[in-house]
Amino acid sequence: MLVQDRRDELLEREQAHEQAYVSNLYEHLDGMRAYAEKRLSEVLLERGGTPQARSERESFTHLYSDDLAKYDAAENGLCFGRIDLVDGERRYVGRLGILDEANDFETLLLDWRAPMARPFYLATTAAPDGVIRRRHIRSRNRRVTRVTDEYLDLDAAELAGMSTADGGVGSESALLTALNAARTGHMIDIVETIQREQDAIIRSEHKSVLVVQGGPGTGKTAVALHRAAYLLYTYRQQLAKSGVLIIGPNSTFLDYISQVLPSLGETGVLLSTIGDLYPGVQATVEESLRGSELKGSLAFIDVLKNAVREYQRLPDAAIPLRFDSYVVTLDRKTVSRARGRARSSRRPHNLARPIFITAVVDALADQLAATLGENVVGGTNLLSRDDIADIRAEMRSDARVMAAIDELWPELTPQQVLIDLFSSPELLAAAAPDLSPADRECLFRNDGQFSGSDAPLLDELAELLGVDDTAERERARRRWRAQIAEAQGALDILTGSAPQDLEDELDPEILMAYDLIDASQLAQRHTVGSRLTTAERAAGDRSWTYGHVIVDEAQELSAMAWRMVMRRIPNRWLTVVGDVAQTGDPAGSSAWSRSLEPYVAQRWKLTELTVNYRTPGEIMAVAADVLRAIDPASEVPKSVRDTGIKPWARQVAQEEIAAETRRRLQDERQPGLTAVIASHADVAKLADLASDDVRVTTVRDAKGLEFDSVLIVEPKHILAESPRGMNDLYVALTRATQRLGVVYSGELPEVLSGLRPLN
């Protein structure tokens, strides 16, 4: 008892010491915030000035606004750890770096991504890396609430009166505390509890495709997000310009992870689903499983090519066109030659259109010239080349001529082609002759809306069509010349404002503003685009290429979706996160090599996470039977904890399913979030069970998420709903962090025989 009292007294003293240190850190953070707020206010109050001055104000506005966002993000849990080294040095670790400017810029707090902070995550009793003690500091509202020590040196632990039984030697108490905490509906960062195998992936130097394969609950998503924060810290200059894109499986998932990167001080990352990755288009309808499979296949590229060619028409009969007081004839032979010339250029449809127009107009102009300039006596054409050139120019501006040409080779948009394709049985039959009538019926839709599976098709069509931006580029050139002229005028004023006699006396080593910047640089700084963040500019530009791309639940991407992703990352620097055993989409992948090697050959690296931090051992024992049915050779991720709560199954009559589910939600109500997971049809019947702490969801929408409790309703319906129903059931079983139950009618699937029957 005396020993325990002594330990408690020592712990209180240590907690008070850490409170003093943390309070000092917050004083510095407040000072940094006050300075940024002051400078931002000063910048915002400034008005007028030269273009250069206005551009500099915009830059400073972004700078101080970003700083304030970073400081606000670090407010909660600013400092979360400390390591004591054998040489007596102490290093405090937190969400951002803080220096003491009044004391030779001494490091008060290490950013968790800094190399010197890495022993906090890597040190173990077997390989302490010079660390004697690792301290976890938990706080709330700037108050230190708990201090937990892990001694990595047995001699030091013994001197402190600690032992393995006390939980102070190599303890994982901080990790287990985080794992057992109730869920809030948003993922929290794991910056305080990153484990050794996770840290190795987060800081990996691999510069091609890094695949993070891991079973349910192994922290794949958290690792990917922390890797994004680490890369932005390490390669700030490179990635600040090109940006980082994170692709998730659905909007619910993106909302779930949305607070992680801001909590780590990173706000400039673009989060998107595949369905929303095409600018200006949102996925508003859900695709059928067969439709998703058809659209995700590379074979659909030929369907799109055929659809585009259907717009490159030949007239059924000659088309008479009145031009001035004459009639010219646009016949099938003329159009065929023009079409052949345009197609042989191998340019995209819209970029080949000017070639088609030129060929048709030339033929029509020659036809009219033969009529106008015919010399009946000598049989020679009396019109000059300039006369014929004038006829061509007039024809290009003639509404009737251009309308006829537009009918034969129209300018197209991806949206227009795809809407036409799926709403016209005739066009679909012509473009996809190899598809069965049932498959074509599956694709038919006349609502003018798009699904997530349509986005890769729109992206492919954008490549097939191209954008004829000749006119827009000319307008941009005119705007640019005007901006340069304005900037040069400003520099001329600056140059002329300096008195000549003063200029003669100035030291030639002293640089003036006009010595540092020319007109084009000044104009560039003042372009509208510079006012947008990298993420904002990237989101609106289909041709934007990113510095790094992270794909979560990547096993769900179809072959067409991978084409879309790879266009946005030509340097092929990606982090790919997923688990092929959880692939639910029929168009998804069952092997990473199949998805990646067409783009990077063998230049991809597989890493694996093997420890399950989410799912208790009791639930994983049931899920393991399902995993073995999917792939007998698969390794079940090892759970770090058991809860002592056995998952159960309750059988009722079919008409009692909804009522029984409601009873179970009420009788077993626990803190945190509960998910009711069912097939699409059953979700519609159970929708009224949803509340603030109960989600009623399909497996597809639950993918990547986690809940304290999970109720699976009618698992046989989940199995029957998809060709990969077993994968979906595996996903459903592994969403729970604490408790799992199954409500069913009829027979329980054999793979769930490990569930405890509940009477």
Side-chain angles (χ1 to χ4, degrees):
M1 188 65 179
L2 291 175
V3 174
Q4 184 61 47
D5 290 343
R6 172 62 178 163
R7 287 176 183 165
D8 292 343
E9 180 184 343
L10 181 63
L11 185 62
E12 288 180 9
R13 189 185 313 153
E14 288 294 311
Q15 188 165 317
H17 170 79
E18 299 302 4
Q19 179 63 66
Y21 195 89
V22 168
S23 296
N24 181 48
L25 291 177
Y26 276 111
E27 288 181 11
H28 279 79
L29 182 67
D30 289 340
M32 294 157 63
R33 182 186 284 112
Y35 175 78
E37 289 174 341
K38 176 175 179 293
R39 290 293 297 123
L40 180 60
S41 297
E42 292 172 349
V43 169
L44 292 175
L45 287 173
E46 295 177 10
R47 293 288 186 271
T50 65
Q52 179 181 359
R54 294 197 298 270
S55 177
E56 289 175 349
R57 285 202 301 273
E58 290 168 4
S59 298
F60 281 123
T61 298
H62 285 308
L63 172 65
Y64 294 124
S65 297
D66 289 346
D67 282 347
L68 287 171
K70 180 171 62 176
Y71 301 152
D72 290 343
E75 173 73 25
N76 184 29
L78 172 63
C79 172
F80 53 77
R82 188 186 95 185
I83 50 176
D84 300 348
L85 306 181
V86 291
D87 60 2
E89 180 187 1
R90 288 181 175 177
R91 299 177 188 170
Y92 284 86
V93 182
R95 295 181 179 277
L96 53 75
I98 294 180
L99 302 176
D100 186 354
E101 296 184 9
N103 191 19
D104 293 330
F105 292 93
E106 175 190 356
T107 299
L108 299 177
L109 186 66
L110 282 169
D111 190 299
W112 67 275
R113 297 165 288 191
M116 291 182 67
R118 199 173 187 191
F120 181 80
Y121 301 108
L122 297 187
T124 65
T125 52
D129 197 19
V131 177
I132 295 176
R133 175 172 60 179
R134 172 168 47 224
R135 170 167 289 177
H136 295 272
I137 302 170
R138 299 186 67 83
S139 60
R140 178 180 296 177
N141 298 327
R142 299 193 172 198
R143 300 298 302 174
V144 174
T145 59
R146 185 178 179 183
V147 172
T148 306
D149 286 338
E150 299 176 42
Y151 285 91
L152 306 180
D153 182 280
L154 295 178
D155 293 335
E158 186 175 344
L159 288 174
M162 303 297 293
S163 68
T164 304
D166 299 317
V169 179
S171 170
E172 294 183 336
S173 59
L175 172 63
L176 294 176
T177 298
L179 296 179
N180 287 317
R183 269 47 188 173
T184 64
H186 283 92
M187 176 180 278
I188 60 172
D189 62 64
I190 59 167
V191 65
E192 303 176 31
T193 58
I194 293 171
Q195 301 301 293
R196 189 182 185 91
E197 69 170 0
Q198 296 172 329
D199 184 83
I201 294 171
I202 290 170
R203 300 174 193 260
S204 172
E205 299 291 330
H206 189 67
K207 280 298 187 74
S208 187
V209 180
L210 180 69
V211 177
V212 184
Q213 163 76 32
T218 53
K220 301 182 297 297
T221 298
V223 166
L225 294 173
H226 287 71
R227 176 163 171 76
Y230 171 77
L231 293 177
L232 283 163
Y233 173 86
T234 307
Y235 303 98
R236 177 74 62 187
Q237 187 171 5
Q238 173 185 344
L239 295 179
K241 295 177 181 178
S242 55
V244 172
L245 169 66
I246 297 179
I247 298 173
N250 53 59
S251 58
T252 304
F253 175 84
L254 294 182
D255 179 64
Y256 173 62
I257 69 171
S258 62
Q259 297 179 8
V260 174
L261 283 169
S263 74
L264 298 173
E266 301 297 345
T267 58
V269 175
L270 178 64
L271 276 64
S272 179
T273 64
I274 285 291
D276 295 333
L277 193 55
Y278 190 90
V281 173
Q282 283 192 322
T284 56
V285 296
E286 187 166 345
E287 190 70 66
S288 68
L289 291 175
R290 180 56 179 163
S292 175
E293 186 174 11
L294 291 170
K295 293 178 179 181
S297 169
L298 294 180
F300 216 86
I301 297 173
D302 288 335
V303 176
L304 299 177
K305 288 179 178 178
N306 292 339
V308 172
R309 291 173 76 89
E310 286 294 315
Y311 289 90
Q312 301 165 4
R313 306 182 182 100
L314 295 177
D316 295 328
I319 304 173
L321 296 172
R322 180 166 292 278
F323 180 75
D324 287 342
S325 58
Y326 298 90
V327 175
V328 291
T329 302
L330 186 56
D331 58 28
R332 189 177 181 89
K333 183 177 180 180
T334 298
V335 176
S336 179
R337 286 178 176 174
R339 186 175 72 170
R341 187 176 301 177
R343 285 180 173 178
S344 64
S345 71
R346 298 188 178 278
R347 295 182 182 180
H349 173 90
N350 289 333
L351 300 184
R353 186 170 180 268
I355 299 174
F356 178 80
I357 293 173
T358 297
V360 171
V361 169
D362 286 354
L364 293 178
D366 290 345
Q367 186 184 137
L368 181 60
T371 301
L372 292 176
E374 184 178 359
N375 185 327
V376 178
V377 178
T380 60
N381 196 314
L382 299 178
L383 297 181
S384 68
R385 290 183 178 179
D386 290 341
D387 293 331
I388 297 175
D390 289 341
I391 292 174
R392 290 170 180 163
E394 290 177 17
M395 281 188 170
R396 283 179 175 272
S397 61
D398 186 273
R400 283 171 293 194
V401 171
M402 293 308 297
I405 291 175
D406 284 343
E407 284 293 318
L408 300 171
W409 194 296
E411 185 170 2
L412 300 171
T413 66
Q415 293 93 320
Q416 174 190 350
V417 173
L418 208 59
I419 289 173
D420 288 350
L421 176 63
F422 294 143
S423 63
S424 169
E426 295 78 18
L427 179 56
L428 189 55
D434 295 334
L435 289 184
S436 68
D439 281 344
R440 290 201 292 269
E441 179 65 27
C442 179
L443 295 172
F444 179 80
R445 190 168 69 233
N446 60 3
D447 55 10
Q449 300 184 65
F450 299 102
S451 70
S453 300
D454 290 330
L457 306 188
L458 291 169
D459 206 56
E460 194 71 34
L461 281 168
E463 296 291 315
L464 294 173
L465 296 175
V467 179
D468 184 6
D469 59 353
T470 306
E472 177 55 36
R473 281 189 283 112
E474 179 55 36
R475 287 193 292 271
R477 279 194 291 268
R478 288 197 295 268
R479 288 195 300 269
W480 178 239
R481 286 194 292 267
Q483 288 172 341
I484 289 181
E486 180 186 356
Q488 186 61 58
L491 290 176
D492 290 343
I493 292 172
L494 287 173
T495 305
S497 64
Q500 185 63 44
D501 56 345
L502 178 60
E503 287 191 0
D504 293 340
E505 296 176 4
L506 282 176
D507 188 331
E509 296 298 319
I510 298 178
L511 298 177
M512 305 295 286
Y514 38 81
D515 295 318
L516 299 174
I517 190 170
D518 61 24
S520 63
Q521 292 172 318
L522 184 55
Q524 180 66 36
R525 289 188 179 188
H526 197 57
T527 55
V528 174
S530 65
R531 302 170 190 170
L532 301 176
T533 66
T534 299
E536 289 170 336
R537 284 182 286 133
D541 185 353
R542 192 195 75 84
S543 62
W544 188 276
T545 56
Y546 295 86
H548 192 80
V549 171
I550 292 175
V551 186
D552 206 339
E553 300 292 343
Q555 74 278 356
E556 301 298 327
L557 266 62
S558 68
M560 290 295 290
W562 277 114
R563 284 173 66 87
M564 186 181 193
V565 170
M566 290 301 180
R567 289 190 188 105
R568 285 152 176 77
I569 187 73
N571 66 7
R572 300 295 190 257
W573 189 20
L574 299 93
T575 301
V576 173
V577 180
D579 178 16
V580 291
Q582 297 186 61
T583 304
D585 196 313
S589 178
S590 58
W592 296 119
S593 58
R594 190 177 307 161
S595 298
L596 300 174
E597 289 182 2
Y599 304 98
V600 296
Q602 302 298 318
R603 300 189 312 278
W604 62 281
K605 179 182 179 182
L606 178 66
T607 60
E608 294 194 68
L609 293 170
T610 59
V611 179
N612 188 332
Y613 300 101
R614 174 206 301 147
T615 317
E618 295 90 346
I619 296 177
M620 279 310 298
V622 177
D625 292 337
V626 179
L627 181 60
R628 280 188 284 269
I630 297 170
D631 181 3
S634 292
E635 290 287 333
V636 180
K638 180 176 175 55
S639 297
V640 298
R641 67 198 169 102
D642 294 330
T643 60
I645 306 172
K646 284 273 291 180
W648 52 265
R650 166 78 166 160
Q651 183 182 25
V652 296
Q654 185 174 0
E655 61 271 17
E656 296 179 11
I657 287 290
E660 180 64 23
T661 304
R662 185 184 298 277
R663 277 195 295 271
R664 290 299 153 196
L665 289 174
Q666 294 171 347
D667 293 349
E668 303 194 15
R669 190 177 184 86
Q670 297 287 341
L673 290 178
T674 297
V676 176
I677 302 179
S679 68
H680 283 76
D682 289 328
V683 160
K685 300 173 184 176
L686 301 168
D688 64 337
L689 298 178
S691 65
D692 290 342
D693 55 359
V694 176
R695 308 286 191 269
V696 180
T697 178
T698 63
V699 176
R700 181 181 297 187
D701 289 338
K703 196 172 287 287
L705 308 182
E706 61 183 18
F707 306 89
D708 298 275
S709 303
V710 168
L711 271 179
I712 299 176
V713 177
E714 295 285 31
K716 62 184 179 183
H717 294 172
I718 294 176
L719 289 173
E721 188 174 43
S722 166
R724 286 180 164 163
M726 196 67 72
N727 302 65
D728 286 343
L729 182 57
Y730 181 59
V731 171
L733 289 168
T734 54
R735 299 305 94 198
T737 66
Q738 301 290 341
R739 296 165 292 277
L740 172 69
V742 173
V743 177
Y744 70 100
S745 63
E747 294 295 323
L748 187 68
E750 186 177 349
V751 290
L752 298 181
S753 59
L755 291 169
R756 172 175 61 90
L758 189 65
N759 297 323

